[in-house]
Each structure stands twice: as C-alpha cells, then as structure tokens.
Amino acid sequence: MEQNDDETYILLVLADSNLPTGAFVASSGLESYTTHGFLSLSPATPTSNSRTEGTLAFIRDSLHTYAYSALAFVSGAHALVAPFSLPPPLDEALASLISLDALYESMTLNHVARRASTAQGVALLALYTKAFATSASASASRPESLSVASLVDKLKLAIRRGETHGHLPLCWGVLTGALGLSLARAQHLALFLHARSLLSAAVRMNTVGPYLAQQILLRDVRPIVEGLVSQCGSLRTGTVANEHRDELGYLNGPATTWPLGEIIATRHDLQHSRMFNS
C-alpha cells in the first residue's frame, strides 16, 4: 500500500461507529438544550420544522465552539507524538502533554463537559493500547512506534494516579499522531466525528430521523467542518515548543465561543430523566 492509502485506511478505521470510544453516551449538551426548550425556538422553514432547524443551529454552534476550543489541543498533542517527527525524551513529552491537559481542564467551564471529555479521552487511549499499539509496534518499518507506545502507557498511568485528566482533544491528538495520521486529517476527522456524534444523539432523541440525519451529514456538515478547519487549524496553545506564530509574533490561541451552550450543558444533571451523561 502507498502511504496515502495507509492514511485513507486509518481514516476509515477511526470513522467506524463501532469503535469503543464512549461517544454514544454523550450528547455534548444537546439533551439539555432540548429539555430546556431551546430546540423549538428556531423558526420553521417550508421544508423543515422548528426541531430540525433547532438541531442544525445547535450543530453549527457546537461545532464552532468545539473547533475554537479543542483543535489547538489536538494540534499540540499530535505534534508531541507524531511518529515521523523527531520526538523529545519521553519524560519531556509527557510533561508537555500534562501541561496541555491542565490547560484544557481550566478552559472547560462545566463539570458535565469535563466528565464526558475525560471518559472519551481515556477510552481513546485504551483503544490505542488494546487494539492498535500491538500491530504498530510489530512493524519493522516503524521502530519509533515502540517509544510512542511507551509514551501512551506513561500517560495512562499518570491519569490513573490522578496526575492528569485525559481530555478528549488531547487524547485524540495522541491517538492520531501515534497512528501516523496527518494533522490536517486529524483536525478534520475530530470535527466530523463531533458532528456525527451530535446527529446520532439527535436520532436517539427523535429530534431528527435517521434519513434526515444522513442528509444533514452529507449536505450541511461538510461545508461547516471544512470552513472551521480552515479558520481554526492554525490555533495553538503556547505550551508546546516551536508552535506557529503569525508575522507579528503573536500566537492565536483557543477560545470558547458559545457561553449559552456552556450554561445549558451545566444544567444537564438537573434534568428529571436523562439518556446521556452529557
């Protein structure tokens, strides 16, 4: 297989909805948004009802804030573990990952989002060690995979000891970097999977049907994701060495862009009944 074919195949594997990553138990605030009546506030159109328009509006806003807040952390973690770059010593890389993780924890303003993010992040690390690390380490053409696997093991141990949290964007960067996926692909897939997870939750909640969900994924999500990758792909946290700065030397960093979504997500545990853990 050519290298591009290898990357395409990795994309297919990571896009598999059967991956045990915990995303199916998270709605990223959509359940609380619906319960609190915001979904029906969007005006209906001749071809759709208010719940459909509300779901679309939620996906746009959720993707926007996720791209601006998370992609910088995906990029930082990816740069630290990408196997075809010259890696720093393991302890130095681990310290940088822990620093990234602490910054994301401080930027995640509600306990519900933190809980879902860490649960999914730890699941990604378990996926790598239990499913992907063995085959990667066995490849004679990629001896650096052994050091990457050691780094992931050290990160998992730090999480178990309570020394760091294991948030989803950081662990996604670790996973995709360890598998040799390019940063651009890793960023694009991170946003696509976030949108797909939202639509999966919407189908389970019956705010949209399964056929309409696929139509939205095909027609509406793609330009949103591509636009956000273009806007946010260069964002960096400032905690990783040699991060890209603009021509004036300034670093464009992460930000939360949807305060209302944060507030509504915080109220998730106050619902009388819940389908999801976020």
Side-chain angles (χ1 to χ4, degrees):
M1 257 192 187
E2 298 292 334
Q3 183 176 340
N4 288 341
D5 292 334
D6 289 340
E7 187 173 61
T8 299
Y9 196 76
I10 291 172
L11 283 171
L12 293 173
V13 171
L14 293 179
D16 184 359
S17 60
N18 290 319
L19 284 184
T21 60
F24 62 94
V25 297
S27 75
S28 300
L30 178 59
E31 184 176 22
S32 182
Y33 188 85
T34 303
T35 300
H36 286 83
F38 287 90
L39 204 66
S40 59
L41 295 180
S42 298
T45 68
T47 58
S48 62
N49 57 40
S50 61
R51 289 170 70 84
T52 299
E53 291 302 312
T55 301
L56 269 170
F58 181 91
I59 290 171
R60 291 190 191 99
D61 290 335
S62 182
L63 275 172
H64 192 275
T65 194
Y66 188 73
Y68 273 89
S69 62
L71 286 192
F73 294 90
V74 172
S75 301
H78 186 280
L80 288 167
V81 302
F84 297 107
S85 64
L86 182 63
L90 288 183
D91 289 343
E92 181 183 333
L94 178 63
S96 295
L97 287 173
I98 290 175
S99 178
L100 275 174
D101 209 19
L103 180 58
Y104 192 80
E105 171 81 4
S106 69
M107 287 190 59
T108 308
L109 304 181
N110 73 80
H111 68 285
V112 177
R114 287 176 175 175
R115 180 179 65 208
S117 178
T118 54
Q120 293 176 73
V122 171
L124 285 177
L125 297 182
L127 173 66
Y128 177 75
T129 56
K130 293 182 179 181
F132 299 144
T134 301
S135 59
S137 298
S139 172
S141 63
R142 293 178 60 191
E144 71 282 345
S145 296
L146 290 170
S147 61
V148 172
S150 297
L151 177 59
V152 174
D153 287 339
K154 285 178 175 288
L155 179 59
K156 288 177 62 181
L157 181 60
I159 294 170
R160 286 198 297 268
R161 289 175 172 173
E163 298 169 358
T164 191
H165 309 281
H167 279 289
L168 174 60
L170 174 108
C171 294
W172 179 254
V174 169
L175 174 67
T176 53
L179 292 176
L181 201 66
S182 68
L183 176 58
R185 294 282 197 176
Q187 292 174 336
H188 192 280
L189 188 56
L191 295 186
F192 170 81
L193 292 179
H194 183 73
R196 192 187 67 179
S197 178
L198 292 176
L199 282 166
S200 176
V203 170
R204 290 181 63 189
M205 293 166 54
N206 200 32
T207 63
V208 297
Y211 297 117
L212 179 57
Q214 294 303 314
Q215 184 183 106
I216 292 172
L217 200 61
L218 177 65
R219 298 181 180 176
D220 298 287
V221 166
R222 181 176 179 177
I224 298 172
V225 167
E226 290 179 348
L228 286 171
V229 169
S230 177
Q231 295 170 32
C232 306
S234 62
L235 297 181
R236 297 296 184 268
T237 63
T239 62
V240 178
N242 301 320
E243 289 186 317
H244 174 74
R245 297 173 182 268
D246 65 20
E247 61 274 8
L248 297 178
Y250 294 112
L251 187 81
N252 294 316
T256 298
T257 65
W258 194 29
L260 176 62
E262 289 276 356
I263 295 170
I264 295 170
T266 303
R267 296 181 56 82
H268 177 84
D269 290 348
L270 301 179
Q271 298 174 103
H272 179 69
S273 62
R274 300 180 295 275
M275 295 176 61
F276 301 93
N277 69 5
S278 73

